[in-house]
Amino acid sequence: MIVEYVLFKSPPGKTRDEILADAKKTVPKWQANPELIRKHYIESDDGFGGAFYIWPSREAAERGHDAQWRAGVEKRTGSMPVIRYFDLLMILDNEVGKVTEFPANAGALIAAK
């Protein structure tokens, strides 16, 4: 499993509500992506936005964020996204009272289902 961290400069002067409205427009696209497991939309108080994505593999993440997608982010926000990838070791979910640990090949196991 992979966590992908995407960060970009938010358009200057946009309010939280405007940024959220823009983000909501992307929901159908991401809901239609069968490889995406989860996406957390984020916005910092110093003008950066982005998301944390959970994917079964880095290859899936790279397919989701190809050159066309990157160009769209730059057009929409005025900045190119910075992307970092992390191996997802474990999730602690206090809301549901669960801890889930992922083996090194967890993405391959999910892709095989």
Side-chain angles (χ1 to χ4, degrees), residues 65-75 79-81 83 85:
H65 293 132
D66 60 13
Q68 182 180 0
W69 175 85
R70 291 171 192 244
V73 168
E74 183 177 25
K75 182 178 179 183
S79 72
M80 284 297 288
I83 300 176
Y85 301 96

Side-chain angles (χ1 to χ4, degrees), residues 51-110:
F52 289 98
Y53 299 78
I54 299 178
W55 299 94
S57 67
R58 181 169 176 157
E59 294 78 18
E62 290 172 347
R63 281 189 292 275
H65 293 132
D66 60 13
Q68 182 180 0
W69 175 85
R70 291 171 192 244
V73 168
E74 183 177 25
K75 182 178 179 183
R76 221 174 63 247
T77 68
S79 72
M80 284 297 288
V82 175
I83 300 176
R84 301 287 306 261
Y85 301 96
F86 303 88
D87 183 13
L88 180 55
L89 305 176
M90 181 171 53
I91 294 176
L92 164 63
D93 189 335
N94 283 335
E95 188 174 23
V96 296
K98 185 177 177 182
V99 175
T100 305
E101 186 175 335
F102 298 98
N105 64 346
L109 297 174
I110 288 174

